[in-house]
Amino acid sequence: MTPRAADRARYDRATAALDAPVAIVDLEAFDANADDLVRRAGGKPVRVASKSVRCRALLERVLARDGFAGVMSFTLAESLWLARAGFEDVLLAYPSADRGGYAELARDPKLAAAVTVTVDDVAQLDLIDAARAGGTEEVRVCLEMDTALRLLGGRVRIGALRSPLRTPAQLAELARSVVRRPGFRLVGLMAYEGHVAGVGDAVAGRPLRSRAVRAMQAVARRELAERRAAVVGAVRAVAPDLEFVNGGGTGSVQHTVAEAAVTEVAAGSGLYVPRLFDDYSSFSGRPAALFALPVVRRPGVGVVTVLGGGYPASGAAGRDRLPVPYLPEGLRYDSREGPGEVQTPLLGSPADDLRIGDKVWFRHAKAGELCERFETLHLVEGDRVVDAVPTYRGEGRTFL
């Protein structure tokens, strides 16, 4: 029996009493992945990206481990909800236009002490001030810098379109605006190098592309390390008491922590290890989050149909955004149908061994987006479900 076949047998036994669709997290794999992130972080704390987890119980589980500290959230409403639930260090990684949320933040000392908001424009400070509604609490602020690699005099850009602030002078100017402005305190700087952390460099069957990605990432890491150090120096000259400099992601942890200017790294997807993280040469993890769909039809030889399955991931549309049939091994989508909203045909010889009601296990392309499809994650140890915990959606929270 192959290791994957053994996992399938365990998961089937663990969930024998549960009807599919069902989602699980293998706790042994989850904890092993957490250990690997800490190892790669080399002593610097790992801030957990909540959008990749979207389950309070599992956020609490990982933050109880040595090497992890703080949450990186994705909306202001989520940040306030987590802070009210007892999370004491929440960095909102994206600018917000939630006026009601800012009013709540500015009038509650507990929330204001726990939540840090990210800005990259004076206009965002103006919006916060206009939304205070009389609240006088000091708002903790983090600046974000652009990490994109620019080549050929800026005519070629590689990296996400995030912050407009790129140079030490630009970041220092905004830092001075924050420091001079009553009601704000500059505490952090973040820079997410998605073109390094979020792009696989060992794509199966695509050796030329993989080689090109590795070459690009090597250039990008060198350029960013030099520029990030200069930016941090310029910002610290304005705000000497800066508490943190955040960078990286699951795919770049060991590279980002090598920069002396970085004090912490962010990671979250590496806990679940979704499909997109199979394409990295620098690390490997264990798939920890899976979902199962039930076989409901047998249309013919070598084909079964499962209920549902159309759970694409965000990003530019393509096959790499689709969940992948994982267990049993050897199933594939029908090229004319793919994964459907209400049914998904699956082809391959293993289909002939599946019966009506059997489970087919899938891996999502991304991490936390799986939790938008399920209210509950069943936590598996060995061949037993040891707990069932709500996702954000299961707690009635749909932040985006």
Side-chain angles (χ1 to χ4, degrees):
M1 182 179 289
T2 67
R4 278 175 58 174
D7 283 341
R8 180 195 174 200
R10 286 197 301 115
Y11 300 150
D12 282 348
R13 287 196 299 271
T15 62
L18 301 174
D19 289 333
V22 65
I24 66 168
V25 170
D26 184 329
L27 290 179
E28 182 180 334
F30 181 90
D31 290 343
N33 293 334
D35 288 341
D36 185 64
L37 286 171
V38 171
R39 178 189 61 79
R40 290 198 287 136
K44 291 186 178 180
V46 179
R47 184 180 291 272
V48 184
S50 63
K51 77 178 183 66
S52 300
V53 179
R54 303 195 200 196
C55 171
R56 276 202 302 160
L58 290 176
L59 287 174
E60 290 166 352
R61 182 184 183 91
V62 74
L63 286 170
R65 303 175 70 89
D66 291 340
F68 290 88
V71 173
M72 176 178 281
S73 59
F74 58 95
T75 73
L76 182 55
E78 179 210 14
S79 305
L80 301 177
W81 178 65
L82 290 174
R84 286 194 295 269
F87 292 82
E88 297 179 348
D89 180 5
V90 182
L91 168 61
L92 172 58
Y94 304 86
S96 177
D98 181 354
R99 292 175 174 83
Y102 282 130
E104 186 176 357
L105 180 67
R107 65 173 176 259
D108 189 314
K110 177 183 176 181
L111 299 181
V115 175
T116 301
V117 304
T118 292
V119 303
D120 56 32
D121 193 311
V122 171
Q124 294 155 354
L125 301 176
D126 294 339
L127 187 148
I128 295 170
D129 267 339
R132 285 179 181 272
T136 59
E137 293 300 321
E138 190 173 59
V139 175
R140 292 167 53 86
V141 170
C142 172
L143 307 184
E144 182 173 9
M145 67 173 280
D146 173 40
T147 66
L149 175 64
R150 295 187 182 180
L151 304 171
L152 301 177
R155 293 190 294 276
V156 174
R157 174 194 175 94
I158 303 173
L161 289 164
R162 292 176 64 112
S163 172
L165 306 177
R166 175 172 190 83
T167 67
Q170 290 172 323
L171 272 296
E173 181 180 358
L174 184 56
R176 284 189 289 270
S177 295
V178 175
V179 169
R180 289 195 299 257
R181 194 157 182 156
F184 294 91
R185 180 154 60 99
L186 180 56
V187 300
L189 175 73
M190 72 166 287
Y192 171 58
E193 55 268 40
H195 51 301
V196 178
V199 179
D201 67 343
V203 182
R206 304 190 68 179
L208 294 180
R209 171 184 164 80
S210 298
R211 195 174 303 128
V213 169
R214 286 194 292 273
M216 175 276 291
Q217 290 179 340
V219 173
R221 288 197 301 268
R222 289 194 297 269
E223 185 276 337
L224 179 58
E226 181 178 338
R227 185 159 52 88
R228 180 154 42 196
V231 165
V232 172
V235 173
R236 286 196 183 278
V238 177
D241 296 329
L242 208 64
E243 296 175 12
F244 64 86
V245 176
N246 179 280
T250 289
S252 70
V253 167
Q254 66 274 24
H255 301 299
T256 305
V257 297
E259 297 180 33
V262 174
T263 67
E264 64 174 40
V265 289
S269 295
L271 296 167
Y272 287 168
V273 185
R275 163 65 187 87
L276 285 177
F277 284 89
D278 289 350
D279 298 334
Y280 287 77
S281 62
S282 60
F283 80 99
S284 61
R286 295 174 55 182
L290 301 96
F291 66 93
L293 301 176
V295 174
V296 292
R297 297 186 187 187
R298 292 174 50 86
V301 175
V303 56
V304 292
T305 302
V306 296
L307 183 69
Y311 304 161
S314 60
R319 291 188 62 82
D320 65 343
R321 302 290 140 169
L322 302 180
V324 291
Y326 184 59
L327 302 171
E329 300 178 64
L331 293 173
R332 66 186 187 278
Y333 292 125
D334 179 87
S335 60
R336 294 167 298 180
E337 294 194 43
E341 178 187 9
V342 291
Q343 71 163 37
T344 297
L346 296 171
L347 312 180
S349 58
D352 293 330
D353 296 323
L354 292 170
R355 299 168 297 177
I356 300 296
D358 282 352
K359 294 181 175 76
V360 174
W361 294 91
F362 292 75
R363 294 171 65 198
H364 204 279
K366 285 193 169 182
E369 293 182 24
L370 164 67
C371 295
E372 296 301 330
R373 298 286 182 170
F374 292 89
E375 295 183 349
T376 302
L377 295 175
H378 296 273
L379 307 184
V380 172
E381 285 185 351
D383 61 359
R384 297 184 305 117
V385 170
V386 296
D387 203 355
V389 295
T391 61
Y392 280 12
R393 180 174 287 274
E395 294 199 69
R397 305 290 174 169
T398 52
F399 296 109
L400 280 178

